[in-house]
Amino acid sequence: MEEKPAEPFSKHFSRQNRDQAQGGSTDWKFVKIGRFEIGCVAIFTILLLLTFTLIIPLAAYAADEGDTIVLTAQEIRDVKALKIGDVLNNVPGVKAGDSSVSIHGSTKVKVFVDGRPINDPTSSHGGINWDFVSPDDVETIEVLRGKGGLVYGQDAAGGVILITTRTLRRFSGNAKVYGGNYGTRDAAASVNVAAGRFIIGVNGGYESSDGYKINNDKERSQAGVKLSYTPEGNSPVLFSVDYLRDERGSSGLPDYPTPYSRKETRSTVYALQANILDFASSTHYNDGYRHNTDPSRELDKTLKVYKFGQDITGALNITGKEDLDAGISFTWDRAMGTGFEDQAEHSISLFATQSWTFSRYPLTLSAGLRGNYHSSFDNSLNPEVKVVYKKEKWRVAAAYGRTDNLPSFYQRYNETSSTRPNPDLDMEQAENMSLSLFTIPHPDLSLSFSFFYNKLMDRITYITADDGMGEYHNFGNVRYVGGDVAVSWQLQKTFKIKSSYTYMKAEDRDTGLTLPGKAEHIVDLDIYWQPTTSLSLVAGGKYSSEVYRNRSNTRSVPDYILVDLRAEQSFGRFSVFSEIENLTDETYYWADGLLAPPLTWVLGISIQI
C-alpha cells in the first residue's frame, strides 16, 4: 500500500503543539509562497550575477587561495548572528545547525577553535559543540571546502573549519542576555584578564526553551577556562578546558512521534598547545557521555566515549630551497555503554606536503601524502594536490584530495527510540576534486565561482525502515556534483548585498537515484543596511528545493522559502538587538523529515567591556 504524504498530519501536529505551548487554541494561518515567486527570485539572482560578470571589468584578485574562504572579524560582526552556525550559513556550500555543519552535502567536517577540536564524539556525524565559542570572541573563520584531510586527518571529507579567537587583552569581556517566544531564555558572558606573561579567560552560558512542538524542550549549560603563558622569546603555551551539558526531548518524525524520548549529553574537552623547538604540539582529550531514555519503550541506554589525540607538525628544510611541512598524529579512542562490550581503537598517521613556486610563471603547486594505520579498519594512503594560478586581475585554483571517514561509535553502538545500532559498519572513502575562480572586479564588488566533484565509496547512510526505526549502513558508490556562485556588492556606504547559489546533484551511482536528505538547489540572499553608525539591519532570505526522504525516492520533503530579520542598536559599549526567524511562519521540514521551527523571535541586550 502506498504511504500517504506526511505533510497534512505534520501541519496538524504543528498547530496542536503551538496551541499547547501557548496554553490555548489559536487559528493559525500558514503563509505559502508559490513557485512563481520562487522563479522570480531565481531569475533576479541569475540576471544580477550575469550583469556583474559581463559589464564590470576585472581589476584585482581576491585574497582567497584555492577553495578556501576566510571571514574577517568585521564580516562576522556584520551578520549580527547569535550563534557561529548562523555565521557559517552565509558561506556558499555550507549549512550549519544548532549542533551540526555540512559542506557540499557532507557532514564529515572537522572544526577547530584555536587549534583544539570541538566535534562531539558521541554524535552520529561528529556534531559540533558551537556553544564552546561565541561570535563576539572570534577574530577569523577559515573554511576549507572539500579539503584539509591531508593535515587534519580522517573524518574531513567535507572539509575543515578553523576558528581563531581574538587576542586576549589586559582586561576585556562581554555579556549577552536575551529571551523570546516558546520560552526561549539565553545568557552568556566571558571575561579575560592579563597579568604579566599570564592571561586567563573564563566564559559560561545557559540556554533553555520550551520547544515549538511536543517533547521539543531543551536545557543547555556551558563553561570554559583558557590559560595562556608566554615564555620570554617564545610562542605562548595555551591550556583550555570546555564543558557542555545538554538535556532535551526528542520528538521524532511526524509520522512516527516519540513523545517520551529524552536524551542527555555531556562533553568535556581538554587541550594543550605549545611550540617545542620548530615543532607545534597539540594535545587534546575529549570525554563524551550520552544517555537515552524512553519509558514507553523500556529504553534506558548509555554511551561513553573517550578520545585522546596528539599531533606534532613542523617544517623541515630538506631541499635547501623550500620547506617540507610534515607531521605525525596519534589517536586512542574507547567506547563503553549498555548493550555492547567495551571497545578500544587506536590509529597512527604520518603526512608530508611540499610547495613549489615558479619565478617565470605566477604558479604555485603543492602536493602531499598522508598514510594512516588504524587498528580496526583498513590502512590507507591519501594524496592531496593543489595548483594555484594567480594573475594581477584574477586567481584560479584546482585541487584533488582523498580522505577516509570512520564510522563513529554513535553510529555503531548508540540506541534510541528510533535508531538501532549497527556494529558492522565499515570505513568510507571520499575523493574530492574542485576548480575555483576568485576575483574582485571593483573595490566594492567580489565574485567567486567554484565547481566540485566528490565521490564516496561505501558511504555511511541512515536508512529508515517501514516501522520508523532507522539504522546506519554502508551502501554503494555515491557522487556529489555541482558548483557555487557567490557575489558581495557594497552598493553604497550604508547598503550591501550578498547572494549565493549552490547546485548539487547527489546520486547513488548503483541505482541512479538521488540520495535522501540532499537539496539540489539552495539560494541565499542577504541585505545589510546601516543607516547610522549605531543602527544595523540585516534581512535574509533562503530557498531550498525539494529533497527525498527515502532511498527509493518515493517520499519527499517539500521545497521552502524562509525570511529572517536581524536588528541591532548600539549605545557605545551597550547594545539592544532583536532577531526574527521564519518571518512568514512557513511550515517546512528539515532534510531528515523533522518538522522545522515556525516563526521565532528573540529580544536582548549585550555589553562589551
Side-chain angles (χ1 to χ4, degrees):
M1 180 180 294
E2 184 177 353
E3 187 171 349
K4 294 182 179 180
E7 186 173 352
F9 175 79
S10 299
K11 288 186 178 179
H12 170 76
F13 190 64
S14 175
R15 291 191 183 97
Q16 178 188 13
N17 293 325
R18 297 186 198 184
D19 295 346
Q20 292 181 4
Q22 298 191 356
S25 177
T26 306
D27 183 19
W28 289 93
K29 294 182 179 180
F30 292 84
V31 179
K32 291 296 180 183
I33 301 177
R35 296 185 181 275
F36 175 78
E37 288 84 355
I38 295 173
C40 290
V41 172
I43 292 173
F44 173 77
T45 304
I46 294 172
L47 290 176
L48 195 65
L49 294 175
L50 289 175
T51 301
F52 292 155
T53 305
L54 299 176
I55 297 177
I56 302 178
L58 301 178
Y61 58 84
D64 301 295
E65 282 195 20
D67 203 17
T68 301
I69 296 176
V70 178
L71 301 179
T72 65
Q74 184 59 51
E75 290 173 320
I76 296 169
R77 287 194 294 269
D78 288 344
V79 177
K80 305 301 178 185
L82 300 177
K83 305 286 185 179
I84 289 292
D86 294 328
V87 176
L88 290 169
N89 283 324
N90 286 266
V91 177
V94 178
K95 182 179 179 181
D98 289 341
S99 59
S100 64
V101 66
S102 65
I103 299 179
H104 290 153
S106 174
T107 58
K108 290 295 186 177
V109 179
K110 300 187 79 169
V111 182
F112 297 84
V113 176
D114 295 330
R116 69 186 191 277
I118 62 171
N119 294 76
D120 183 357
T122 66
S123 169
S124 62
H125 48 272
I128 317 301
N129 292 320
W130 292 123
D131 287 310
F132 284 163
V133 60
S134 167
D136 296 331
D137 299 325
V138 175
E139 184 67 26
T140 61
I141 299 177
E142 188 175 358
V143 182
L144 285 65
R145 300 185 300 178
K147 62 179 184 293
L150 175 67
V151 175
Y152 298 99
Q154 296 164 319
D155 299 325
V160 176
I161 298 176
L162 306 174
I163 301 174
T164 303
T165 58
R166 297 180 182 179
T167 302
L168 302 181
R169 304 196 305 271
R170 184 174 299 276
F171 182 78
S172 63
N174 60 76
K176 181 179 294 184
V177 179
Y178 61 87
N181 61 343
Y182 299 108
T184 299
R185 298 168 292 273
D186 193 292
S190 65
V191 177
N192 304 311
V193 180
R197 299 183 184 277
F198 289 92
I199 301 177
I200 184 171
V202 180
N203 63 82
Y206 173 83
E207 176 186 5
S208 66
S209 172
D210 297 335
Y212 58 92
K213 54 184 176 179
I214 294 176
N215 198 32
N216 181 236
D217 61 296
K218 67 177 179 180
E219 185 178 34
R220 176 185 292 239
S221 55
Q222 172 267 330
V225 177
K226 183 162 54 176
L227 179 64
S228 174
Y229 172 71
T230 305
E232 184 176 359
N234 292 297
S235 300
V237 178
L238 179 64
F239 175 74
S240 62
V241 181
D242 291 287
Y243 172 80
L244 177 69
R245 180 182 181 272
D246 186 300
E247 184 176 355
R248 64 179 62 202
S250 180
S251 58
L253 292 169
D255 296 341
Y256 304 98
T258 54
Y260 304 103
S261 178
R262 309 290 299 180
K263 59 183 177 182
E264 178 190 4
T265 304
R266 295 197 298 265
S267 181
T268 307
V269 180
Y270 305 86
L272 175 65
Q273 284 131 338
N275 287 346
I276 304 174
L277 299 176
D278 293 329
F279 296 92
S281 171
S282 176
T283 307
H284 47 87
Y285 175 77
N286 194 318
D287 180 350
Y289 169 83
R290 180 178 290 259
H291 186 200
N292 301 314
T293 59
D294 190 338
S296 67
R297 307 189 183 199
E298 298 183 352
L299 175 73
D300 190 347
K301 299 291 185 179
T302 60
L303 175 65
K304 298 179 182 179
V305 178
Y306 308 94
K307 296 179 71 71
F308 171 82
Q310 174 64 59
D311 302 312
I312 298 176
T313 60
L316 305 176
N317 193 350
I318 302 298
T319 64
K321 296 181 179 180
E322 302 286 352
D323 287 332
L324 177 72
D325 293 325
I328 181 171
S329 300
F330 170 78
T331 64
W332 176 86
D333 304 335
R334 185 183 181 187
M336 305 169 59
T338 53
F340 67 95
E341 296 182 356
D342 293 1
Q343 303 290 319
E345 301 172 355
H346 62 273
S347 66
I348 300 175
S349 300
L350 295 170
F351 81 87
T353 178
Q354 178 86 42
S355 295
W356 299 269
T357 56
F358 302 89
S359 57
R360 297 182 56 186
Y361 305 99
L363 185 69
T364 301
L365 170 66
S366 61
L369 186 67
R370 186 182 187 95
N372 303 299
Y373 161 79
H374 200 285
S375 62
S376 300
F377 301 99
D378 293 338
N379 302 330
S380 61
L381 286 174
N382 294 328
E384 188 171 288
V385 180
K386 183 175 71 174
V387 179
V388 179
Y389 189 83
K390 182 178 69 175
K391 297 289 287 185
E392 181 181 359
K393 299 181 179 181
W394 50 270
R395 175 176 295 182
V396 64
Y400 166 82
R402 189 167 64 201
T403 307
D404 302 324
N405 296 327
L406 303 179
S408 66
F409 284 127
Y410 177 101
Q411 292 170 329
R412 286 179 278 168
Y413 302 109
N414 189 60
E415 184 175 353
T416 72
S417 302
S418 56
T419 302
R420 300 185 185 96
N422 182 7
D424 298 324
L425 282 175
D426 203 353
M427 178 180 73
E428 67 179 22
Q429 192 173 69
E431 292 185 90
N432 299 333
M433 289 160 276
S434 64
L435 179 65
S436 309
L437 171 66
F438 299 88
T439 183
I440 301 180
H442 185 272
D444 297 328
L445 176 70
S446 63
L447 292 166
S448 68
F449 305 85
S450 67
F451 307 91
F452 59 88
Y453 179 92
N454 303 336
K455 184 170 65 173
L456 285 81
M457 287 70 74
D458 294 323
R459 180 179 182 267
I460 300 172
T461 306
Y462 187 78
I463 299 176
T464 303
D466 294 336
D467 60 356
M469 295 294 292
E471 192 175 22
Y472 290 93
H473 289 271
N474 293 102
F475 74 87
N477 296 323
V478 168
R479 65 179 178 182
Y480 300 152
V481 182
D484 302 299
V485 181
V487 58
S488 178
W489 186 23
Q490 188 80 42
L491 283 82
Q492 51 180 288
K493 186 177 180 180
T494 63
F495 196 74
K496 180 172 69 174
I497 292 178
K498 293 180 67 176
S499 181
S500 67
Y501 165 69
T502 299
Y503 167 80
M504 183 182 70
K505 182 65 174 177
E507 182 183 47
D508 180 353
R509 301 191 67 183
D510 294 334
T511 64
L513 299 175
T514 300
L515 293 178
K518 307 300 179 184
E520 189 168 337
H521 307 279
I522 294 178
V523 179
D524 286 286
L525 177 63
D526 294 285
I527 301 174
Y528 304 83
W529 184 40
Q530 190 171 9
T532 67
T533 55
S534 60
L535 177 62
S536 300
L537 302 171
V538 181
K542 177 179 181 178
Y543 167 72
S544 180
S545 63
E546 176 186 36
V547 299
Y548 291 109
R549 285 183 54 192
N550 59 348
R551 186 177 177 184
S552 59
N553 292 180
T554 58
R555 290 181 294 168
S556 63
V557 174
D559 55 356
Y560 60 85
I561 287 182
L562 298 180
V563 179
D564 303 327
L565 291 176
R566 300 187 183 101
E568 181 176 311
Q569 174 69 58
S570 61
F571 306 92
R573 297 181 181 274
F574 174 81
S575 64
V576 179
F577 61 88
S578 179
E579 178 181 272
I580 303 175
E581 294 187 340
N582 192 3
L583 181 65
T584 60
D585 203 17
E586 180 83 357
T587 299
Y588 70 106
Y589 306 89
W590 301 127
D592 55 9
L594 292 175
L595 183 65
L599 183 151
T600 59
W601 61 265
V602 297
L603 178 65
I605 58 175
S606 66
I607 184 171
Q608 298 287 333
I609 302 175

